[in-house]
Amino acid sequence: MMDGPRIRLLVVDDSNFVRAALRKMLEPASDIEIVGEARDGAEALRLSRRLKPHVVAMDLNMPVMDGIEAVRAIAREKGPPCIMVSNETSEGAGATIRALEAGAVDFVCKNSSFISFDMASIERQLTEKVRHWGRWRMAAPGEGVVTSPPPSPLPPVSMDHPVDHPASRHGFHHRPDLVVIGVSTGGPVTLVELLGALGPLPCPLVVAQHMPASFTAGFAASLARTLKRPVAEGGDGMALVPGRIVILRGGADWVVRRLVDGRFVLLAAPGGGAIHHPSADRLFRSAGQEAVFPVAVILTGMGDDGTAGAGELAARRFPVLVQDPDSCAVGGMPGAAIRAGVATEVLSVAAIARRLDTLFTPTQA
């Protein structure tokens, strides 16, 4: 796969074996060139300055300077985007979340025993993410790495516009009783921006962020610290209450159900054949079945999760707010929704927050 200059990758890991394994994984990708290898974060920082890579694949636990400090230093210098290669353990998950807070743009999980992990899955994920972030860097070489924005409204962008969908021409006269969000790659940064810009939440808000099961509790805790508002990991039987943001537990799918007293609860949804978990499609479909006036939001991410579920909501004239693909870390999920004609509005992240606040206002017409 060669259509232009090769993506320059710096590999950082203190293990000779892991560096060799990463080299082997990326050999089939003719558009990716490993231009250097570092054994610790300090060496990674020096090589990043000298070799000018487009992307850095960064380990977490290393001597001299660990991956989190290295990411923070590279981000401070507006250096290349860093993808964390982390263990899918509670310790690795916590460190990965801290790395995302420090400025890492993405992560790839490996089994805690590197020898036994699923090589094909890691190879595919790593290749896709190096390609995406490498092209992003090559397209905007003067831009800095994406870092976590402060939890406050950002200026609107000029791309905000409604799309020509019947629901976009239909005035929304109801106050939402449930907001459901689907997001994947680039989500940790984007959710801070969106949720930090929202005003008071008069209804539950549930997020399907594609993540492993070991990551979502730490991610919810990180959001709570950053946003200074209630955020919790959601599991089976959890009550959904107004004002609380719920991050669905990773690695599984979930649906919402309304009890006889009108409250919503989360229930596990085994099976279903979804590729990514938690499935935004399954969450959205259940919201359409159980809520009086649900609102769906589709944010940055690879693939098309959320499009089918959002289609059922849009067909019933419920709002489907979609992030402008040009403002996404990865425009796959929003782009799929737009191409399918299920987006009722295409907006920047800041404008999605403003639109939700407007919908929350009872006098909105």
Side-chain angles (χ1 to χ4, degrees), residues 86-107:
S86 64
N87 287 329
E88 193 175 332
T89 62
S90 57
E91 181 182 352
T96 302
I97 296 300
R98 292 194 296 276
L100 291 168
E101 292 173 332
V105 296
D106 214 329
F107 62 90

Side-chain angles (χ1 to χ4, degrees), residues 48-62:
S48 176
R49 293 165 177 161
R50 180 164 65 85
L51 298 176
K52 308 294 183 189
H54 297 120
V55 186
V56 178
M58 182 79 74
D59 187 26
L60 279 166
N61 298 314
M62 296 178 291

Side-chain angles (χ1 to χ4, degrees), residues 6 21 25 28 50 91 93 100 119 178 196 203 218 237 269 293 310 314 316 350:
R6 299 173 82 187
M25 285 181 194
R50 180 164 65 85
E91 181 182 352
L100 291 168
M119 299 287 279
L178 180 66
C203 69
F293 191 74
R316 297 170 58 195

Side-chain angles (χ1 to χ4, degrees), residues 232-316:
E233 181 191 47
D236 200 28
M238 181 182 196
L240 304 178
V241 298
R244 182 166 63 188
I245 297 161
V246 173
I247 307 298
L248 294 178
R249 186 175 300 153
D253 295 334
W254 307 88
V255 295
V256 295
R257 288 289 179 262
R258 186 188 288 275
L259 303 177
V260 291
D261 62 5
R263 293 179 302 150
F264 292 108
V265 296
L266 279 179
L267 296 176
I275 298 174
H276 303 290
H277 309 285
S279 166
D281 279 326
R282 300 192 77 181
L283 174 66
F284 288 4
R285 285 192 181 103
S286 70
Q289 293 164 0
E290 301 292 323
V292 174
F293 191 74
V295 178
V297 179
I298 298 178
L299 301 175
T300 176
M302 293 181 182
D304 62 0
D305 187 27
T307 293
E312 296 183 14
L313 296 176
R316 297 170 58 195

Side-chain angles (χ1 to χ4, degrees), residues 78-205:
K78 301 190 183 299
C82 295
I83 299 171
M84 308 310 294
V85 182
S86 64
N87 287 329
E88 193 175 332
T89 62
S90 57
E91 181 182 352
T96 302
I97 296 300
R98 292 194 296 276
L100 291 168
E101 292 173 332
V105 296
D106 214 329
F107 62 90
V108 173
C109 285
K110 60 185 180 184
N111 189 286
S112 56
S113 171
F114 200 83
I115 296 173
S116 66
F117 66 38
D118 181 348
M119 299 287 279
S121 173
I122 300 300
E123 178 182 328
R124 176 180 51 79
Q125 290 184 60
L126 183 62
T127 302
E128 285 179 357
K129 292 181 178 186
V130 168
R131 278 188 179 134
H132 168 75
W133 291 109
R135 288 169 184 161
W136 175 85
R137 182 70 175 184
M138 293 163 80
E143 296 296 321
V145 65
V146 177
T147 56
S148 298
S152 58
L154 300 183
V157 298
S158 60
M159 299 177 222
D160 301 341
H161 58 282
V163 296
D164 187 20
H165 186 283
S168 70
R169 302 190 296 272
H170 178 78
F172 301 128
H173 299 279
H174 300 276
R175 181 170 173 168
D177 57 343
L178 180 66
V179 175
V180 286
I181 297 176
V183 60
S184 185
T185 307
V189 170
T190 304
L191 284 170
V192 169
E193 181 182 350
L194 173 64
L195 301 175
L198 282 177
L201 286 170
C203 69
L205 186 150

Side-chain angles (χ1 to χ4, degrees), residues 34-56:
I34 296 178
V35 296
E37 297 180 12
R39 291 161 294 185
D40 59 62
E43 186 179 14
L45 186 56
R46 291 193 298 271
L47 290 180
S48 176
R49 293 165 177 161
R50 180 164 65 85
L51 298 176
K52 308 294 183 189
H54 297 120
V55 186
V56 178

